């Protein structure tokens, strides 16, 4: 089945030519009210992204994703391997929130919040405008031969791109290994930590490749969220949309002529100036409808509003709107699908909040020593040997930690240590202990015992273990 002529554009992406080569995008420098707001949001998020790994809350890095050591900090809350379920719930909340946001407002996350877009449009692209000029000057520079001017401008731009990529790589590394460790490595010198230096060079090369060459292709080709958008959007989703009813009218678009009665001639408000196409950072024509490449950056809205204003026509030919609104003038409503996402989001957020409040400062794991049976001692005493591991999830030391048997009358003895333990901040202590209980207090060959972890006189954690005893033949 052949593709209709007005849908041919969907058979390929806007950054690839008919012969399959890369079509380099030279977007016009955006301006306008929405772009001004986007700059405010972007600079706030840029500050947050750079500062987050260096901010401490109760001694914990604000955001850290140390995959190698399996330690994560989210908003100052430390997550250990034992808290992996909490980390999973946090990630699920993030995914569902983005899905809900996409169902309601389209791919606005990509255009306003995504780090790739923020760095590309608000850092690298603005440097490009500063050095090479706006769209027309960039296109002329690309076509001219390699003379002194081109070498100077291109060389300066690429050098600055490389420098910024190196800074971003350092910030990225601070998220992975921790800001304290990164600063320590910098002070010690790069040659003393060759593996970290190699990682830094790789990250720098990746960021440089993305922002200097791959650019908008990340959003179009590499990012899975663009594909997910097609599944999540429906006719009720608010997206950056062209009002084709107003723009096309009965007889379609027409170039602007002064003192012409466009309405009488049956032409729409779109004057086919192509400015919405020229300003698009992914090189699409928004008038063709919602497309995979559109990141909802709103540059076309600002540009179209400026044109409409200059020819004394109402603004909003391109605006945030749903297909339902444009076709049937229906206002935005929360759909059943959105309500479902909201319900799941509320449940997961409540679950995570409850688990965070119930989480203890010290995680205790006590297990029977593998391969060991019980020992029958004098006075009908049954003894079991256990291993213990205490993980301190806080940034303060616990110097007066004791273990006590809570469920049965008996004794609990630590091996090769005093009765008190010292658990360092964000560290762990492990060892062996014996539990001895009178056989008369046991109810069979397998008994569940409860052990309390105390810091001084405060009970801070309880855990259970299986205690073996002689089989009862009662």
């Amino acid at each position: 089945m052949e593709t209709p002529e007005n849908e041919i554009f969907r058979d390929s992406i806007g950054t690839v030519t008919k012969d399959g080569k890369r079509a380099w995008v030279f977007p016009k420098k955006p301006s306008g009210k929405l772009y001004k707001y986007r700059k405010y949001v972007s600079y706030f998020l840029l500050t947050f992204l750079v500062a987050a790994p260096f901010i401490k809350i109760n001694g914990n890095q604000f955001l850290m994703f140390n995959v190698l050591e399996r330690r994560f900090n989210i908003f100052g809350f430390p997550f250990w391997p034992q808290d992996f379920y909490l980390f999973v719930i946090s990630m699920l909340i993030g995914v569902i929130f983005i899905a809900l946001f996409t169902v309601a407002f389209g791919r606005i996350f990509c255009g306003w919040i995504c780090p790739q877009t923020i760095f590309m449009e608000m850092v690298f692209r603005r440097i490009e405008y500063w050095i090479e000029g706006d769209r027309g000057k960039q296109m002329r520079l690309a076509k001219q031969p390699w003379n002194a001017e081109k070498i100077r401008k291109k060389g300066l731009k690429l050098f600055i791109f490389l420098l910024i990529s190196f800074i971003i790589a350092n910030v990225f590394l601070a998220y992975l290994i921790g800001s304290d460790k990164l600063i320590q490595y910098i002070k010690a010198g790069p040659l003393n930590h060759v593996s970290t230096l190699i990682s830094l060079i790789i990250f720098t090369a990746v960021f440089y490749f993305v922002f200097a060459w791959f650019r908008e292709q990340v959003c179009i080709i590499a990012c899975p969220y663009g594909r997910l958008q097609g599944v999540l959007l429906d006719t009720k989703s608010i997206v950056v949309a062209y009002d084709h009813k107003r723009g096309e009218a009965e007889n379609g678009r027409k170039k602007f002529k002064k003192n012409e009665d466009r309405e009488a001639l049956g032409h729409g408000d779109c004057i086919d100036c192509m400015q919405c196409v020229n300003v698009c950072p992914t090189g699409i024509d928004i008038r063709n409808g919602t497309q995979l490449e559109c990141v909802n950056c709103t540059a076309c809205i600002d540009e179209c509003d400026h044109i409409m204003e200059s020819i004394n026509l109402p603004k909003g030919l391109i605006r945030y709107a749903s297909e339902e609104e444009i076709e049937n003038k229906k206002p935005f409503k929360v759909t059943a699908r959105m309500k479902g996402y909201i319900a799941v989001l509320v449940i997961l957020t409540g679950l995570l909040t409850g688990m965070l409040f119930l989480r203890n400062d010290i995680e205790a794991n006590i297990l029977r020593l593998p391969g060991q049976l019980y020992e029958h001692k004098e006075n009908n005493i049954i003894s079991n040997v256990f291993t213990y591991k205490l993980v301190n999830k806080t940034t303060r030391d616990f110097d007066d930690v004791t273990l006590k048997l809570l469920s049965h009358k008996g004794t609990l003895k630590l091996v090769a240590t005093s009765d008190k333990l010292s658990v360092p901040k964000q560290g762990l202590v492990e060892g062996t202990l014996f539990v001895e209980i009178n056989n008369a207090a046991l109810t069979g060959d397998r008994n569940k015992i409860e052990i309390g972890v105390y810091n001084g006189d405060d009970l801070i954690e309880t855990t259970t273990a299986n205690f073996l005893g002689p089989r009862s033949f009662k």
Side-chain angles (χ1 to χ4, degrees):
M1 186 175 178
E2 291 187 7
T3 307
E5 190 175 341
N6 63 340
E7 294 287 326
I8 289 177
F9 72 94
R10 297 193 188 277
D11 292 342
S12 62
I13 58 176
T15 54
V16 176
T17 61
K18 290 181 179 179
D19 54 357
K21 294 182 179 179
R22 169 81 177 272
W24 198 267
V25 178
F26 296 96
K28 180 182 177 183
K29 186 176 181 180
S31 61
K33 182 176 70 174
L34 289 173
Y35 182 66
K36 181 176 70 174
Y37 293 151
R38 192 153 64 101
K39 281 197 293 186
Y40 295 153
V41 173
S42 297
Y43 293 145
F44 169 77
L45 291 175
L46 277 172
T47 304
F48 175 81
L49 283 169
V50 173
F54 301 96
I55 296 172
K56 298 287 183 67
I57 295 180
N58 295 325
N60 294 316
Q61 188 169 309
F62 190 69
L63 285 176
M64 184 176 71
F65 305 95
N66 192 333
V67 179
L68 296 178
E69 296 180 8
R70 294 177 296 170
R71 287 177 54 194
F72 305 91
N73 288 353
I74 300 178
F75 304 134
F77 288 100
F79 293 87
W80 291 74
Q82 295 85 351
D83 298 320
F84 187 70
Y85 62 99
L86 294 175
F87 181 74
V88 170
I89 293 173
S90 300
M91 294 299 102
L92 284 174
I93 288 172
V95 169
I96 292 172
F97 177 78
I98 291 174
L100 170 63
F101 211 69
T102 304
V103 169
F105 303 109
R107 208 175 169 182
I108 192 172
F109 172 85
C110 296
W112 288 66
I113 302 173
C114 176
Q116 154 69 18
T117 305
I118 291 173
F119 277 114
M120 185 68 246
E121 300 302 322
M122 296 299 170
V123 178
F124 290 89
R125 194 87 76 183
R126 287 177 69 82
I127 290 170
E128 200 164 56
Y129 291 135
W130 171 59
I131 295 174
E132 296 185 357
D134 207 344
R135 171 183 163 83
K137 291 182 178 179
Q138 288 183 23
M139 294 175 74
R140 287 193 294 273
L141 185 68
K143 291 177 181 177
Q144 75 182 46
W146 283 94
N147 53 23
E149 180 196 10
K150 187 170 182 176
I151 292 171
R152 175 175 56 82
K153 287 184 176 180
K154 293 287 186 182
L156 177 62
K157 182 186 78 171
L158 295 178
F159 173 74
I160 295 175
F161 280 10
L162 184 63
L163 184 63
I164 295 174
S165 298
F166 179 73
I167 294 170
I168 296 172
N170 275 274
V171 174
F172 183 71
L173 205 59
Y175 278 101
L176 293 181
I177 67 173
S179 56
D180 290 342
K181 191 174 286 188
L182 176 67
I183 293 170
Q184 177 188 334
Y185 287 176
I186 292 172
K187 289 180 178 178
L191 296 180
N192 293 321
H193 302 280
V194 176
S195 60
T196 305
L197 178 62
I198 292 171
S199 301
L200 191 60
I201 292 171
I202 292 171
F203 290 145
T204 301
V206 169
F207 289 127
Y208 181 75
F209 168 75
V210 167
F211 295 118
W213 189 83
F214 206 47
R215 301 187 154 208
E216 70 284 339
Q217 304 284 54
V218 173
C219 307
I220 299 171
I221 298 171
C223 180
Y225 183 52
R227 304 295 188 273
L228 185 65
Q229 172 190 231
V231 179
L232 294 174
L233 291 182
D234 58 28
T235 58
K236 298 175 180 65
S237 301
I238 295 176
V239 295
V240 173
Y242 167 66
D243 189 341
H244 61 92
K245 287 197 166 185
R246 177 187 151 191
E248 308 293 320
E250 292 179 6
N251 296 325
R253 313 162 192 163
K254 187 178 186 295
K255 293 289 184 182
F256 178 75
K257 286 186 179 179
K258 200 172 181 181
N259 300 322
E260 183 180 58
D261 191 345
R262 299 177 66 88
E263 189 174 353
L265 293 171
H267 291 291
D269 286 354
C270 179
I271 62 171
D272 211 17
C273 64
M274 300 297 289
Q275 293 308 302
C276 59
V277 180
N278 293 339
V279 81
C280 179
T282 58
I284 65 167
D285 189 340
I286 193 62
R287 297 171 298 177
N288 289 329
T290 301
Q291 295 156 66
L292 166 72
E293 298 95 324
C294 180
V295 295
N296 285 21
C297 69
T298 69
C300 55
I301 295 179
D302 279 331
E303 201 64 28
C304 186
D305 282 350
H306 174 70
I307 296 295
M308 291 295 106
E309 202 171 28
S310 64
I311 59 175
N312 297 316
L313 288 174
K315 293 191 290 187
L317 180 59
I318 301 175
R319 63 182 186 274
Y320 273 125
S322 67
E323 189 178 327
E324 287 273 347
E325 180 192 338
I326 291 173
E327 295 287 348
N328 306 312
K329 305 297 181 184
K330 289 184 178 180
F332 173 76
K333 288 184 179 179
V334 178
T335 63
R337 187 155 65 123
M338 292 179 201
K339 290 176 182 176
Y341 281 122
I342 291 169
V344 174
L345 195 62
V346 169
I347 291 168
L348 285 176
T349 303
L351 183 65
L352 178 64
T353 304
M355 286 180 169
L356 286 173
F357 278 109
L358 292 173
R359 194 177 69 148
N360 295 312
D361 291 339
I362 287 187
E363 178 87 20
N365 287 308
I366 298 179
L367 300 170
R368 286 190 64 258
L369 194 64
Q372 293 290 323
L373 295 175
Y374 65 88
E375 182 181 356
H376 205 144
K377 293 188 172 182
E378 294 180 357
N379 300 321
N380 207 24
I381 297 297
I382 305 298
S383 175
N384 279 207
V385 60
F386 296 85
T387 60
Y388 65 87
K389 181 184 288 185
L390 305 178
V391 179
N392 185 350
K393 300 176 181 177
T394 71
T395 55
R396 59 192 177 95
D397 295 325
F398 287 91
D399 297 321
D400 191 17
V401 176
T402 55
L403 302 177
K404 296 179 183 179
L405 186 61
L406 302 178
S407 57
H408 296 72
K409 287 186 178 180
T411 59
L412 186 151
K413 299 177 181 176
L414 301 178
V415 177
T417 65
S418 64
D419 291 336
K420 293 183 179 180
L421 297 169
S422 179
V423 188
K425 60 183 179 181
Q426 295 189 352
L428 65 88
V429 169
E430 52 189 340
T432 308
L433 61 86
F434 287 97
V435 175
E436 297 180 351
I437 302 174
N438 193 297
N439 191 27
L442 302 176
T443 56
D445 60 336
R446 215 171 261 276
N447 300 262
K448 183 167 282 188
I449 60 172
E450 187 176 21
I451 297 173
V453 181
Y454 287 80
N455 182 46
D457 296 326
D458 298 326
L459 178 65
I460 56 176
E461 168 72 313
T462 59
T463 187
T464 59
N466 288 320
F467 187 92
L468 294 184
R471 180 170 296 180
S472 175
F473 295 97
K474 294 180 182 179

